[in-house]
Amino acid sequence: MYLSKFFIPITKDLPTEAKIKSHQLMLRAGMIKQSSAGIYSWLPLGFKVMKKIEQIVREEQNFIGAHEMLMPTIQSSEIWKESGRFDDYGEEMLRIKDRQGREMLYGPTNEELITDVFRSSVKSYKSLPQLLYHIQWKFRDEIRPRFGVMRCKEFYMKDAYSFDLSDEEAKKSYNKMFYSYLKTFNRLDLKAIPMVADTGPIGGDLSHEFVILAESGESKIYADKKIFEIDPTQYNFDDSSLQKMREDFTKIYAVTDEKYKKDNFNKLVKKENQIITKGIEVGHIFYFGNKYSKPMNCLIDDKDGKKTLVKMGSYGIGVSRLVGAIIEAKYNNEIMKWPKSISPFDVVIIPKVSKNNNENLEKAEKVYIQLKKQNIDVLLDDVDENMSNKFKKHDLIGVPYQIIIGAKSEGDNFEFKELNSKSEILSLEKIKLKLNR
Ligand code: 5CA
């Protein structure tokens, strides 16, 4: 991609409406544009990052045997009346009428809709367990949308739903999701802590929030620092190992303020191990058994041919929120620092360009072609601008590697720099090796 052709409306002004760093940086780097309160357009740079996050989420859902599908954003109110949540959900739900006067709504979540899909086709225990998910826009008319993409009205969520014959089987599905979430956040280079949480309007009595530490977070958290010592990758993908993994995590104290009790915290966690800080909720999983299958009459035949209510759970990841949350967890001064797995580009080539000397740009174009041939996603800064402005811009965009083509680059050797560290002179072959790693 040539920067001069890319749609990336970078601004130098500090956006006054943005209170936290991720929001400021996303606006300044031209990743998003507010359309109205809590509603954003995703511009090419922001969209590229979000799509990379989405792909990692998808791969880790597929790994545990979940099947992707797509449900609509607009839902009929009928199913919400059946579950009893049409009134309970309150003003956060955007209610609309079609031209026939039918009550519709913009889905804030999909428990009802998936139960309706499921009950119309699955009749026997033989088809269980089932894990279904989609990645789709949601709408919640948040009373105070804020912090950019972190708390908005329209946001992009992965939501998965599990269907099982018994509580015992359902907990196995819950454990698989628990594992998938830890793996997903690991691949995003985030340390997410699973925390015992309240279930709110989704319901049920078993629930974990996955929270990443960040000063700007909205959740206050209390934890034993031993929770950081558990490595989720040491567990195998089988039911007993996954159960042990959840137990290992759950027996260490980690709660959000809704569940916090001072006496318990002091009794259970040694003073020197106590962490009291703030975090961002990036995922939330729920087990709620019959909560939707009962009012919606979602029955299946068990092994003896007896009708039984299916046991369900739901599992959300805030895909659009993660873009902001990752910036919050990783930024350093004015520099966005993307984990390599989701960086908008693998590398940026920055030639010193001037009107009366094309040599550097020509060299840069040759390097560009060679890297593209290796499937490396390259940004070429072909803009005629002084180098100090270019560096500021690339610090802001946060591509992790730079190839600088100026006085220090000679022949097939180029100045190569990892963001936030010193540059070195390397041959193109060595650069390719580093980028392919
Ligand atoms: N049905 C369940 C699980 S699928 C559910 O909706 N859970 S939730 O309400 O906790 O949302 C799941 C995730 O979506 C949250 O962990 C959070 O990361 C993200 N999320 C929720 N509300 C917003 C919002 N207003 N703006 C951005 N992301 C949000």
Side-chain angles (χ1 to χ4, degrees):
M1 176 67 64
Y2 277 43
L3 188 63
S4 62
K5 309 272 184 313
F6 196 38
F7 184 80
I8 175 170
I10 291 179
T11 80
K12 289 202 180 76
D13 314 326
L14 193 69
T16 48
E17 77 274 23
K19 299 279 175 285
I20 60 170
K21 209 68 195 183
S22 57
H23 191 191
Q24 292 168 3
L25 291 171
M26 286 181 81
L27 289 170
R28 283 183 46 210
M31 294 176 76
I32 49 169
K33 173 163 184 349
Q34 182 168 309
S35 140
S36 59
I39 302 180
Y40 290 87
S41 295
W42 286 78
L43 308 185
L45 187 73
F47 192 60
K48 209 160 182 244
V49 173
M50 184 165 72
K51 285 281 152 186
K52 288 198 169 183
I53 296 175
E54 175 184 344
Q55 185 54 21
I56 290 178
V57 171
R58 172 177 291 118
E59 285 167 16
E60 294 304 329
Q61 291 291 290
N62 293 347
F63 180 85
I64 61 163
H67 301 290
E68 187 169 11
M69 59 185 291
L70 186 61
M71 287 175 270
T73 51
I74 305 292
Q75 304 182 20
S76 155
S77 64
E78 293 303 313
I79 47 177
W80 286 73
K81 286 181 181 159
E82 272 189 66
S83 75
R85 277 208 296 183
F86 190 64
D87 294 327
D88 293 354
Y89 218 94
E91 293 196 300
E92 249 183 42
M93 186 192 274
L94 182 68
R95 294 151 207 261
I96 32 192
K97 278 200 177 131
D98 72 2
R99 61 170 74 192
Q100 270 89 28
R102 275 190 292 253
E103 283 178 311
M104 317 286 280
L105 56 100
Y106 195 124
T109 175
N110 280 55
E111 280 79 6
E112 286 76 359
L113 193 46
I114 193 79
T115 307
D116 186 47
V117 170
F118 186 87
R119 71 179 169 183
S120 64
S121 57
V122 180
K123 303 290 177 206
S124 161
Y125 76 94
K126 287 184 194 144
S127 311
L128 297 182
Q130 281 292 344
L131 278 173
L132 298 167
Y133 76 98
H134 75 160
I135 306 175
Q136 177 62 292
W137 293 97
K138 303 287 182 295
F139 195 96
R140 295 183 188 172
D141 199 353
E142 296 275 351
I143 188 161
R144 250 188 305 141
R146 59 199 166 133
F147 302 155
V149 301
M150 302 267 248
R151 181 161 299 281
C152 16
K153 294 192 181 197
E154 191 179 45
F155 59 98
Y156 201 45
M157 192 211 280
K158 183 285 299 178
D159 40 328
Y161 301 88
S162 63
F163 299 86
D164 284 277
L165 184 62
S166 64
D167 278 331
E168 198 193 341
E169 289 294 308
K171 301 239 162 102
K172 291 181 189 162
S173 298
Y174 189 91
N175 292 345
K176 283 183 189 164
M177 278 292 170
F178 197 102
Y179 172 79
S180 164
Y181 275 38
L182 290 170
K183 262 182 85 196
T184 303
F185 298 129
N186 248 5
R187 282 184 66 188
L188 296 173
D189 207 13
L190 294 172
K191 263 212 169 306
I193 319 177
M195 302 205 164
V196 176
D198 264 351
T199 54
I202 309 295
D205 52 19
L206 172 62
S207 171
H208 285 89
E209 273 178 23
F210 290 76
V211 177
I212 59 168
L213 305 188
E215 266 313 307
S216 57
E218 288 188 278
S219 321
K220 191 147 190 206
I221 55 181
Y222 303 82
D224 185 332
K225 75 171 184 213
K226 282 198 292 208
I227 199 133
F228 290 113
E229 287 158 21
I230 312 178
D231 173 10
T233 59
Q234 69 181 293
Y235 299 93
N236 295 330
F237 189 65
D238 61 65
D239 289 332
S240 62
S241 182
L242 295 186
Q243 175 64 20
K244 172 142 187 354
M245 173 203 62
R246 179 152 73 83
E247 284 164 10
D248 287 349
F249 271 100
T250 314
K251 70 186 173 212
I252 298 182
Y253 193 96
V255 297
T256 55
D257 42 2
E258 295 139 351
K259 294 254 170 186
Y260 168 72
K261 290 205 178 62
K262 197 172 174 206
D263 293 347
N264 260 358
F265 187 48
N266 287 331
K267 198 163 80 200
L268 298 171
V269 186
K270 281 196 213 143
K271 206 99 219 118
E272 64 270 25
N273 284 353
Q274 289 183 357
I275 301 177
I276 304 177
T277 180
K278 284 196 179 151
I280 302 167
E281 180 202 313
V282 286
H284 202 160
I285 60 178
F286 304 81
Y287 177 57
F288 41 71
N290 295 343
K291 175 164 183 208
Y292 300 89
S293 55
K294 195 167 177 199
M296 294 184 71
N297 210 24
C298 181
L299 296 159
I300 36 159
D301 291 331
D302 71 7
K303 291 182 180 99
D304 305 318
K306 220 171 79 209
K307 298 263 178 252
T308 178
L309 291 168
V310 76
K311 304 284 190 294
M312 290 173 59
S314 73
Y315 313 87
I317 290 185
V319 176
S320 51
R321 174 180 288 186
L322 267 167
V323 181
I326 290 171
I327 298 173
E328 286 300 324
K330 305 268 169 211
Y331 83 88
N332 186 343
N333 294 325
E334 292 302 305
I335 301 182
M336 274 206 266
K337 214 165 178 261
W338 297 113
K340 289 174 191 106
S341 58
I342 58 152
S343 169
F345 295 94
D346 298 324
V347 61
V348 52
I349 308 174
I350 314 176
K352 189 166 191 285
V353 180
S354 61
K355 279 201 187 73
N356 35 20
N357 185 353
N358 262 346
E359 207 182 309
N360 288 332
L361 186 55
E362 279 164 15
K363 257 195 213 170
E365 284 174 330
K366 282 191 187 131
V367 173
Y368 178 84
I369 291 166
Q370 294 227 28
L371 295 180
K372 284 297 250 189
K373 274 192 197 148
Q374 304 259 308
N375 272 335
I376 295 169
D377 195 4
V378 199
L379 179 65
L380 169 56
D381 186 349
D382 57 333
V383 179
D384 182 0
E385 195 179 22
N386 72 51
M387 288 302 261
S388 115
N389 280 353
K390 284 193 179 204
F391 288 134
K392 273 194 210 134
K393 186 170 61 189
H394 292 295
D395 280 351
L396 176 65
I397 300 173
V399 176
Y401 294 112
Q402 304 179 339
I403 299 171
I404 301 154
I405 302 190
K408 288 190 192 159
S409 297
E410 248 179 85
D412 229 6
N413 292 316
F414 300 95
E415 190 180 356
F416 183 74
K417 186 170 181 286
E418 190 167 351
L419 216 59
N420 268 356
S421 33
K422 284 216 171 89
S423 69
E424 52 187 333
I425 306 296
L426 291 180
S427 67
L428 190 55
E429 285 316 304
K430 286 216 170 106
I431 292 177
K432 281 186 198 164
L433 285 177
K434 280 210 175 219
L435 294 174
N436 273 325
R437 227 185 278 143

